[in-house]
Amino acid sequence: MVKGRTLLFLVFGLWISTEVVGMTEPSQSTTVNSTVSSRPKVVKIGALLTYNSVIGRSAKPAIMAAIEDVNSNRNVLPGIELQVIVHDTNCSGFLGTVEALQLMKNEVVAAVGPQSSGIAHVVSHVANELHVPLLSFGATDPTLSALQYPYFIRTTQSDYYQMHAIADFIEYHGWREVIAIFVDDDNGRNGVAALGDALSKKRARISYKAAFPPVASQSDISDLLNEVNLMESRVYVLHVNPDSGLTIFSIAKKLRMMSAGYVWIATDWLPSMLDSLVRADTDTMNILQGVVAFRHHIPDTDLKKSFISRLKNLKDYDTESFNSYAFYAYDSVWLAAHALDVFLNEGGNISFSSDPRLRDTKGSVLNLAALRTFDGGDQFLQTILRMNFTGLSGKIEFDHDKNLINPAYDILNIGGTGSRSIGYWSNHSGLSVLLLETVYMKKSSNTSTSNQKLHSVIWPGEITTTPKGWVFPNNGKPLRIAVPNRVSYKEFVAKDKNPPGVQGFCIDVFEAALKLLPYPVPRQYMLYGNGDRNPNYNNLVDQVAQNNYDAAVGDVTIVTNRTRFVDFTQPFMGSGLVVVVSVKEDKSSPWVFLEPFTPQMWCITGSFALFVGTVVWILEHRFNEEFRGSPRTQLITVFWFSLSTMIFSHRENTVSTLGRLVLIMWLFVVLIINSSYTASLTSILTVQQLSSQIEGIDSLISSTQPIGIQDGSFARKYLVEELRIPESRIVTLKNMQGYIDALQRGPKHGGVVAVVDELPYIETLMSSTDCKFRTVGQEFTKSGWGFAFRRDSPLAVDLSTAILQLSENGDLQRIHDKWLNKMECSNDADPNKLSLRSFWVLFLIFAIVSVLAIIIFFVRVLCQYTKFSPEPEEVGDEIQPTKYRRTCKTHSFKDLIVFVDKKEAEIKEILREKREKRRRSKSLDGLFNSPT
């Protein structure tokens, strides 16, 4: 902005000194009205464009045609003649600014233009001071939408949207890095900045910005392209001026940069240039084969066709064909006309007055008062911004950022003698093959990645497969791959005497993944570390991030702080930190047979055994002679039966149905308990026991004893910074033998209580030591090993896909078995005792069955007892019922006990005799009472 104002004041000085020196000083009044009219006969607007340019040759006839159409239309500005004053900016920022100032002294109410973004930046300051709206049909610089330029109104599409369209196109084809080639001016720099912002949202980036001056020689361009060609990326976005862009393609053709593997994306400058040609010559089209270009989308209407036909019939202009800027220029004039008509109808006045701030200072030769301020400029500006009509270029309506709504682009693929459409882009639909007018009819937008579609593209070199978008740098150097020079666990990666100088599981996985890539990868393995101790892996990753190496291949763990600086592939080995401790054989105790069950379980089992003996005795006592006898004999029987059923050695038979049911249920319970007891006792007698009380990471943190870690591992940083373990407790162990010695000595003899390391190392350790060590607890981190590459390296993505293929086809497992074939070690170092929690449902079911059986038994006994009663005593021929009732009442409970103790056979016999006696008694009563 400061540079713009400085240039503006210099221009003021040069212009005013030549134009107004010697003029009479204006009146000293603060405001002088030169014209005041509510409905003037003539209204003047200006036009700023470069006549001799691709855009100017199309825009000028369109502007003149629009002026003619407005003046012939009786519905817009009736009775008013719209005049246009055209100034040539000469494709120069300085001269263009001078012409813009000259235009402003003509008291125009609006200016159509300028077409240059650089001139627009400067002239916008003048427009702000004089309140004259600028309707620019060609300045696409996104920064011109800033609040700094309130009077700048863009009547074409902002490059902000074009760059987002290009970013969507790049994402659609899976590219992650592009090189931007652009003219180093306001339009080029700010457009490329918008592209960088758009790509960052797609997880892509501009890897290099190749800028050249607005006036660059062919040798400068050639040097720039040679420099670009030495880089990885093969996706080029060309954002230049229409008048000089073909030179770049011509030089690129000579440098063989228009061949297979290259991707060229041109912004709207290229279609604008081609559309301005009636027929492009063969040499031009041969240069552009395979280029993808973006063009402003202009609806294909009958009005558009009629307008193009009309312009082609004009004889006074230097072009026979027109590009999209002609339609925007035509609509800009109509926008001014419509807004002016509304402005006047709403009572606006067209008047100009002197601004006190532009009054000459005393003694100055600058006559700044020659510039007049449009009094109704602010009202006219607001009127323009709320216009809503359909023009040749489509819908003319502005959003809150003063940009035209519904930005859209055609995506063209140049080939043969012309170009073909491969799709469209709009902020409503993203990439689409549907005609945009059809898309706009849908009320809801859908720009999700799954809905993006384009037709196939014929790329440079006449190939139809999508280029991968990058190659190895064309400088003859192979990929520099750092490999950890390990001194322990050499199964994973180690130095080798034979080419390529390294070996191990990680190297084989990397080589197998490279074989799956569709292109060769020249590489050179470089050992990292002195060989005396394991290298620091954080430093190794930093070396890759600093571009001292292109990649790191080995047992490199993917952790958060490393992913901030490098890109990792898909993990090829799962990993995570675990705690490993030493174990020892536990000498068997003479009371080991009690250990399978908890004390509670032993008590419950014994109680239920006695309970089942009692229940079976109750159910069998009346039926089974084996459950009868003296009280002492019956008590012994109950105890014997209870204990013998635990080992299925009971000799007593059950004869009652309920007794058998209860016994069957109990034997099932006993079967389950015996099986569980046997399994648990077997495990206890054979399992190894821990030599320490560490049961996992929590108990390790709470202890105060030393902890061992592997030299060079990230475990130290994790334990100290994340788990807050004092660094004084950390002991660095150099190799596997150091692990073994430290764990076996233990903390009391200068060793460690446990070792914290990654699971693959620990599994190798346990396998190599015949399972003398055990992991305790669970993995307390979840990560994996991956190959590290420089940030945004496309090779990381391709190798991730290759690693997934290795996993799916089984090659990854075969490589694992080749290097890491290990014995399995059980981690069950502390078997849990069996408790009631494991069997309570079983005991509950048995208890319910037993209780139900007893209830059924006593209900049956009570039913029998109600039918059984002692016979009343007879004295002579009289019955004594009173004594009988008294006897029953006094001895009922005793009688019940006696009744229950009787054998079932006796009860049945007594009941049978009672029934027989009652039958005979009824027969005698009937005989005596019958009439004789």
Side-chain angles (χ1 to χ4, degrees):
M1 184 180 73
V2 174
K3 292 172 62 179
R5 290 185 180 274
T6 303
L7 178 59
L8 179 60
F9 288 135
L10 289 174
V11 171
F12 269 147
L14 291 174
W15 172 60
I16 299 297
S17 63
T18 58
E19 293 289 330
V20 298
V21 170
M23 290 182 61
T24 303
E25 291 188 2
S27 172
Q28 298 301 317
S29 61
T30 59
T31 301
V32 177
N33 292 333
S34 60
T35 57
V36 178
S37 175
S38 60
R39 200 75 183 178
K41 298 297 183 181
V42 176
V43 177
K44 292 181 286 187
I45 65 173
L48 292 169
L49 51 105
T50 299
Y51 294 168
N52 188 25
S53 67
V54 170
I55 296 177
R57 285 191 290 268
S58 289
K60 185 177 180 181
I63 291 174
M64 303 312 295
I67 293 294
E68 181 181 344
D69 291 345
V70 170
N71 288 329
S72 62
N73 191 303
R74 297 181 180 181
N75 296 321
V76 179
L77 297 177
I80 298 177
E81 180 184 357
L82 187 65
Q83 293 183 355
V84 62
I85 302 172
V86 183
H87 280 250
D88 186 2
T89 57
N90 295 298
C91 201
S92 168
F94 178 76
L95 296 178
T97 304
V98 172
E99 292 296 328
L101 292 172
Q102 295 232 11
L103 174 65
M104 293 299 181
K105 76 175 184 178
N106 293 299
E107 296 183 343
V108 295
V109 297
V112 177
Q115 74 181 55
S116 165
S117 296
I119 298 175
H121 275 282
V122 178
V123 177
S124 291
H125 293 291
V126 180
N128 292 347
E129 297 293 333
L130 303 182
H131 297 178
V132 177
L134 296 178
L135 309 181
S136 178
F137 60 87
T140 57
D141 179 359
T143 63
L144 287 169
S145 299
L147 299 176
Q148 182 184 8
Y149 309 112
Y151 282 85
F152 177 85
I153 302 173
R154 196 194 320 272
T155 57
T156 185
Q157 299 296 344
S158 169
D159 278 341
Y160 170 87
Y161 298 108
Q162 181 172 208
M163 297 309 172
H164 275 75
I166 294 175
D168 283 351
F169 183 81
I170 290 170
E171 182 191 33
Y172 178 82
H173 289 93
W175 300 314
R176 288 291 175 262
E177 289 188 358
V178 303
I179 293 178
I181 304 174
F182 61 98
V183 178
D184 196 8
D185 58 10
D186 289 331
N187 187 62
R189 282 192 306 274
N190 296 329
V192 169
L195 175 62
D197 293 340
L199 288 174
S200 65
K201 298 177 181 179
K202 309 295 182 182
R203 299 195 63 180
R205 70 184 185 106
I206 299 176
S207 60
Y208 183 72
K209 295 180 179 180
F212 58 88
V215 181
S217 64
Q218 291 193 7
S219 61
D220 292 336
I221 296 175
S222 180
D223 291 342
L224 182 67
L225 292 181
N226 274 316
E227 181 182 358
V228 164
N229 200 30
L230 294 176
M231 300 178 181
E232 274 188 358
S233 179
R234 285 293 183 264
V235 181
Y236 305 133
V237 177
L238 192 57
H239 186 49
V240 296
N241 299 321
D243 301 280
S244 59
L246 283 181
T247 304
I248 298 174
F249 279 121
S250 177
I251 297 174
K253 182 76 172 180
K254 294 177 182 178
L255 296 176
R256 298 182 179 180
M257 296 175 67
M258 301 296 296
S259 56
Y262 289 85
V263 177
W264 287 88
I265 303 172
T267 53
D268 63 276
W269 69 267
L270 181 56
S272 297
M273 186 274 298
L274 295 178
D275 290 343
S276 299
L277 303 175
V278 176
R279 180 175 298 173
D281 59 89
T282 304
D283 292 338
T284 299
M285 298 310 298
N286 286 338
I287 292 173
L288 300 175
Q289 295 297 304
V291 175
V292 174
F294 286 73
R295 179 178 62 190
H296 297 122
H297 177 72
I298 306 297
D300 193 15
T301 61
D302 293 337
L303 185 62
K304 169 188 171 182
K305 296 176 182 177
S306 175
F307 176 72
I308 293 176
S309 177
R310 174 186 170 190
L311 290 184
K312 287 183 178 180
N313 293 328
L314 297 176
K315 303 297 183 182
D316 300 333
Y317 298 102
D318 298 331
T319 183
E320 296 181 4
S321 188
F322 301 89
N323 54 43
S324 59
Y325 290 99
F327 305 109
Y328 290 120
Y330 181 88
D331 287 343
S332 298
V333 174
W334 271 100
L335 174 63
H338 280 297
L340 188 59
D341 188 44
V342 174
F343 171 75
L344 294 174
N345 291 336
E346 292 179 349
N349 291 323
I350 297 178
S351 62
F352 296 84
S353 53
S354 298
D355 189 338
R357 293 175 298 175
L358 298 179
R359 185 182 305 161
D360 297 344
T361 58
K362 186 175 182 181
S364 174
V365 297
L366 302 178
N367 189 5
L368 300 180
L371 296 174
R372 304 294 184 115
T373 301
F374 180 21
D375 295 331
D378 184 63
Q379 180 184 351
F380 186 44
L381 172 66
Q382 300 306 319
T383 303
I384 293 174
L385 293 177
R386 56 187 172 89
M387 285 295 97
N388 185 350
F389 67 96
T390 301
L392 287 178
S393 61
K395 190 77 170 177
I396 306 299
E397 183 181 352
F398 298 96
D399 60 19
H400 63 280
D401 291 324
K402 298 190 304 181
N403 291 318
L404 288 176
I405 65 170
N406 297 336
Y409 291 87
D410 301 333
I411 306 176
L412 307 177
N413 182 206
I414 299 174
T417 58
S419 62
R420 65 185 182 93
S421 174
I422 59 173
Y424 307 93
W425 180 93
S426 74
N427 64 341
H428 185 79
S429 63
L431 301 175
S432 174
V433 295
L434 299 176
L435 190 63
L436 291 180
E437 284 67 36
T438 303
V439 174
Y440 286 136
M441 294 177 64
K442 300 179 180 179
K443 295 183 179 180
S444 60
S445 62
N446 193 344
T447 57
S448 62
T449 303
S450 60
N451 290 320
Q452 307 298 287
K453 293 182 180 178
L454 289 175
H455 294 302
S456 60
V457 180
I458 300 177
W459 305 100
E462 297 184 354
I463 63 172
T464 56
T465 57
T466 302
K468 64 179 182 292
W470 69 277
V471 295
F472 291 100
N474 191 18
N475 50 20
K477 295 182 180 179
L479 204 66
R480 300 164 300 170
I481 301 177
V483 177
N485 190 9
R486 295 191 58 88
V487 298
S488 62
Y489 298 108
K490 293 186 176 182
E491 300 91 341
F492 298 103
V493 60
K495 181 181 179 180
D496 187 23
K497 296 180 180 179
N498 300 319
V502 289
Q503 65 175 357
F505 167 73
C506 300
I507 301 301
D508 282 5
V509 172
F510 184 70
E511 289 288 334
L514 290 180
K515 292 179 181 179
L516 295 178
L517 300 182
Y519 49 85
V521 180
R523 55 200 176 276
Q524 176 185 2
Y525 293 104
M526 306 171 70
L527 289 171
Y528 181 81
N530 55 21
D532 294 331
R533 57 186 298 180
N534 292 334
N536 186 296
Y537 280 60
N538 285 333
N539 294 340
L540 172 60
V541 172
D542 288 340
Q543 291 296 311
V544 176
Q546 295 171 14
N547 202 24
N548 294 326
Y549 298 101
D550 297 309
V553 172
D555 49 342
V556 183
T557 306
I558 304 172
V559 293
T560 303
N561 65 312
R562 295 173 183 173
T563 58
R564 297 190 181 104
F565 310 108
V566 297
D567 282 347
F568 282 94
T569 62
Q570 173 82 13
F572 62 87
M573 167 73 89
S575 182
L577 291 178
V578 295
V579 178
V580 63
V581 297
S582 179
V583 295
K584 63 179 180 180
E585 294 291 343
D586 188 33
K587 296 181 180 179
S588 296
S589 166
W591 299 98
V592 70
F593 64 90
L594 296 176
E595 293 186 13
F597 289 160
T598 62
Q600 181 191 36
M601 184 64 184
W602 280 116
C603 293
I604 294 297
T605 303
S607 299
F608 264 82
L610 294 176
F611 173 71
V612 72
T614 303
V615 171
V616 172
W617 177 83
I618 293 173
L619 298 177
E620 292 289 321
H621 179 70
R622 304 182 70 194
F623 299 90
N624 197 336
E625 287 292 339
E626 295 182 358
F627 288 88
R628 301 185 67 84
S630 65
R632 179 174 176 275
T633 302
Q634 295 185 55
L635 185 62
I636 293 174
T637 300
V638 169
F639 276 99
W640 169 255
F641 185 83
S642 299
L643 296 177
S644 61
T645 54
M646 297 295 297
I647 54 175
F648 305 99
S649 63
H650 55 285
R651 64 184 182 183
E652 294 81 8
N653 293 321
T654 54
V655 295
S656 68
T657 302
L658 293 176
R660 289 176 177 177
L661 174 63
V662 171
L663 182 60
I664 289 174
M665 289 298 301
W666 175 243
L667 292 179
F668 176 74
V669 173
V670 170
L671 176 65
I672 300 300
I673 292 176
N674 284 348
S675 301
S676 302
Y677 175 86
T678 303
S680 180
L681 182 61
T682 303
S683 176
I684 290 173
L685 292 174
T686 59
V687 77
Q688 292 174 318
Q689 301 297 315
L690 300 180
S691 60
S692 69
Q693 298 301 316
I694 301 300
E695 299 178 351
I697 187 61
D698 293 332
S699 58
L700 185 63
I701 294 173
S702 61
S703 72
T704 58
Q705 296 173 320
I707 304 170
I709 63 166
Q710 184 181 173
D711 190 14
S713 170
F714 75 98
R716 172 185 292 273
K717 185 175 182 180
Y718 183 85
L719 294 177
V720 173
E721 296 183 1
E722 300 295 333
L723 301 183
R724 305 299 181 186
I725 295 177
E727 195 164 3
S728 59
R729 292 181 58 194
I730 307 300
V731 178
T732 300
L733 304 175
K734 186 175 181 180
N735 50 36
M736 185 187 297
Q737 188 59 44
Y739 276 40
I740 298 173
D741 293 342
L743 285 170
Q744 288 181 340
R745 290 200 309 269
K748 294 181 180 180
H749 300 90
V752 296
V753 68
V755 168
V756 174
D757 206 351
E758 295 181 73
L759 185 60
Y761 302 125
I762 298 305
E763 288 177 342
T764 302
L765 170 69
M766 293 190 300
S767 177
S768 301
T769 56
D770 296 328
C771 301
K772 292 182 179 180
F773 305 98
R774 290 287 186 271
T775 59
V776 290
Q778 302 295 324
E779 293 181 63
F780 55 93
T781 65
K782 292 292 183 180
S783 58
W785 291 352
F787 305 128
F789 288 86
R790 289 185 291 107
R791 200 69 167 163
D792 299 318
S793 172
L795 193 59
V797 178
D798 290 351
L799 274 177
S800 293
T801 303
I803 290 171
L804 290 175
Q805 292 177 356
L806 289 176
S807 178
E808 292 171 357
N809 60 26
D811 288 343
L812 190 61
Q813 185 61 44
R814 283 188 284 272
I815 297 173
H816 180 278
D817 295 340
K818 171 187 174 182
W819 288 96
L820 308 173
N821 192 11
K822 62 183 186 303
M823 62 183 294
E824 295 292 337
C825 295
S826 172
N827 287 329
D828 188 12
D830 187 20
N832 293 324
K833 294 184 177 182
L834 298 175
S835 65
L836 180 61
R837 182 175 56 184
S838 304
F839 302 97
W840 69 270
V841 173
L842 196 62
F843 282 121
L844 178 62
I845 294 174
F846 172 73
I848 293 174
V849 172
S850 300
V851 171
L852 289 176
I854 292 175
I855 292 173
I856 294 172
F857 172 78
F858 278 108
V859 168
R860 180 171 176 274
V861 169
L862 289 175
C863 290
Q864 288 180 337
Y865 184 70
T866 56
K867 298 177 182 179
F868 175 82
S869 61
E871 290 295 331
E873 296 181 8
E874 298 183 7
V875 180
D877 294 333
E878 297 181 1
I879 298 175
Q880 304 295 328
T882 303
K883 181 179 179 181
Y884 165 73
R885 287 194 296 269
R886 184 172 59 250
T887 302
C888 289
K889 180 177 180 180
T890 303
H891 302 287
S892 60
F893 181 73
K894 181 179 178 181
D895 292 342
L896 177 62
I897 295 301
V898 173
F899 177 80
V900 172
D901 188 57
K902 290 181 179 294
K903 293 182 179 180
E904 183 72 13
E906 294 179 5
I907 296 297
K908 289 182 178 180
E909 181 63 24
I910 293 173
L911 292 177
R912 186 184 65 78
E913 291 177 355
K914 287 178 69 64
R915 287 196 298 270
E916 184 65 24
K917 182 181 289 187
R918 289 194 189 98
R919 186 181 63 80
R920 289 197 303 268
S921 176
K922 290 180 180 180
S923 299
L924 291 174
D925 289 342
L927 181 61
F928 288 127
N929 294 329
S930 62
T932 57

